[in-house]
Amino acid sequence: MERITTVAALREVVDAARCSGKSVGLVPTMGALHSGHISLVERCVAENDVTVVSVFVNPTQFNDKRDLELYPRTPEEDCAMLEKAGCTYVFTPSVEEVYPEPDTRVFELGTVAEVMEGRFRPGHFNGVAQIVSKLFAMVSPHRAYFGEKDFQQIAVIRTMAAQLQFDIDIIACPIVREADGLALSSRNTRLTPEQRRNAPRIAETLFKSRTFAESHTVEETIRYVVDTINTVPEMRVEYYEIVDGNTLLPVENWQDSSYIVGCITVYNGEVRLIDNITYCRP
Ligand code: PAF
């Protein structure tokens, strides 16, 4: 594995790979890697000749300065994990390398970027679109891999890629969970031991809500999830929405769509956790 820090050096190696007929896969990350990221890298390695993993804590997608400061950074551990997973190039640029000029682009991504996270984290998806469009332009990968834990992010990236006509296969990979159900997240390391012990209640409630939904309305199911999680010490649901998996617009009845997903955000103490569950898939 080679470590690359400049855009020029990155372009040189990926251009050479593409010119010699090799397929290139990209896994964008913000580091603090865990098995969820590694599952993306392993899939990328299996499906492409060359795997590029970017490790960059992108300042433009943090609407909360404290969250940016507290975001975990573990560069040495990240590199060791990537090497073991078979990554070809790890791209670890500085902020100045990625943003030599301030990025003033404002993306008009429509409702997929306005609902849920869009409402609670203003500017977040614009920052994601800025960095991911830059990485797509720098690497020109054949395929790019994203985790379904950030369900809405994938819809936003698909919209951005369609608008800018990137010829890149965007591949959504399933959520990886701890044995107790907690969705893997770099933020989990910030939980206190007690918060960590309680955190699996989120996934547990989501999974139970699938059975609950068989004999209850969408509205009742939302109430069940919110009320159950809010009884857990230190937990506060920010939102729970049951939406069409493509448009991300709320569904009112289970018959309204053949693809229905529940998306949740919960504050566990100070730490904001997200998760989602599929009720039905076409
Ligand atoms: O999902 C993430 O870690 C980030 O939002 C991404 C896609 C790497 C962009 O910074």
Side-chain angles (χ1 to χ4, degrees), residues 28-30 56 58 61 128 131-132 146 150 153:
T29 82
M30 296 204 299
F56 179 66
N58 172 40
Q61 71 187 74
V128 170
I131 183 61
V132 176
F146 298 90
D150 296 292
Q153 172 169 275

Side-chain angles (χ1 to χ4, degrees), residues 138-155:
M138 289 168 191
V139 179
S140 284
H142 296 89
R143 302 182 190 87
Y145 297 79
F146 298 90
E148 275 187 334
K149 183 173 77 66
D150 296 292
F151 187 79
Q152 187 175 3
Q153 172 169 275
I154 298 179

Side-chain angles (χ1 to χ4, degrees), residues 179-197:
D180 60 15
L182 176 64
L184 293 192
S185 163
S186 308
R187 290 194 167 88
N188 292 349
T189 56
R190 288 172 48 201
L191 298 171
T192 64
E194 201 201 334
Q195 289 164 353
R196 173 63 189 84
R197 266 195 302 281

Side-chain angles (χ1 to χ4, degrees), residues 157-183:
I157 290 169
R158 285 193 197 286
T159 306
M160 174 280 290
Q163 286 181 351
L164 298 180
Q165 294 178 290
F166 280 114
D167 185 16
I168 297 171
D169 245 349
I170 291 162
I171 297 171
C173 304
I175 298 178
V176 178
R177 298 182 181 278
E178 300 280 6
D180 60 15
L182 176 64

Side-chain angles (χ1 to χ4, degrees), residues 212-234:
F212 184 93
E214 286 168 13
S215 53
H216 293 84
T217 64
V218 170
E219 203 183 320
E220 287 163 348
T221 306
I222 293 174
R223 190 75 2 250
Y224 164 77
V225 168
V226 173
D227 290 350
T228 307
I229 294 176
N230 279 342
T231 62
V232 180
E234 295 196 69

Side-chain angles (χ1 to χ4, degrees), residues 27-236:
V27 185
T29 82
M30 296 204 299
L33 302 182
H34 50 64
S35 327
H37 297 110
I38 296 306
S39 73
L40 307 181
V41 177
E42 284 173 349
R43 177 145 175 209
C44 185
V45 168
E47 295 179 353
N48 299 277
D49 299 316
V50 168
T51 290
V52 178
V53 179
S54 59
V55 175
F56 179 66
V57 182
N58 172 40
T60 72
Q61 71 187 74
F62 285 83
N63 54 319
D64 177 350
K65 231 180 128 223
R66 195 169 148 69
D67 195 23
L68 172 61
E69 277 160 20
L70 292 176
Y71 202 85
R73 289 160 172 88
T74 55
E76 297 318 316
E77 289 88 337
D78 292 348
C79 283
M81 287 170 88
L82 291 174
E83 175 119 52
K84 194 158 162 250
C87 166
T88 325
Y89 300 109
V90 55
F91 179 50
T92 56
S94 64
V95 173
E96 296 70 34
E97 185 69 18
V98 175
Y99 296 107
E101 305 279 336
D103 194 338
T104 54
R105 289 175 300 162
V106 177
F107 289 80
E108 298 286 348
L109 299 159
T111 48
V112 292
E114 286 159 9
V115 296
M116 300 192 284
E117 293 295 278
R119 210 151 30 91
F120 287 95
R121 299 185 71 187
H124 167 64
F125 284 133
N126 200 64
V128 170
Q130 287 176 339
I131 183 61
V132 176
S133 61
K134 274 177 178 269
L135 291 168
F136 280 4
M138 289 168 191
V139 179
S140 284
H142 296 89
R143 302 182 190 87
Y145 297 79
F146 298 90
E148 275 187 334
K149 183 173 77 66
D150 296 292
F151 187 79
Q152 187 175 3
Q153 172 169 275
I154 298 179
V156 166
I157 290 169
R158 285 193 197 286
T159 306
M160 174 280 290
Q163 286 181 351
L164 298 180
Q165 294 178 290
F166 280 114
D167 185 16
I168 297 171
D169 245 349
I170 291 162
I171 297 171
C173 304
I175 298 178
V176 178
R177 298 182 181 278
E178 300 280 6
D180 60 15
L182 176 64
L184 293 192
S185 163
S186 308
R187 290 194 167 88
N188 292 349
T189 56
R190 288 172 48 201
L191 298 171
T192 64
E194 201 201 334
Q195 289 164 353
R196 173 63 189 84
R197 266 195 302 281
N198 291 332
R201 296 288 300 277
I202 301 169
E204 182 192 304
T205 307
L206 292 180
F207 282 114
K208 281 189 179 161
S209 79
R210 272 191 184 150
T211 315
F212 184 93
E214 286 168 13
S215 53
H216 293 84
T217 64
V218 170
E219 203 183 320
E220 287 163 348
T221 306
I222 293 174
R223 190 75 2 250
Y224 164 77
V225 168
V226 173
D227 290 350
T228 307
I229 294 176
N230 279 342
T231 62
V232 180
E234 295 196 69
M235 281 203 197
R236 185 174 56 78

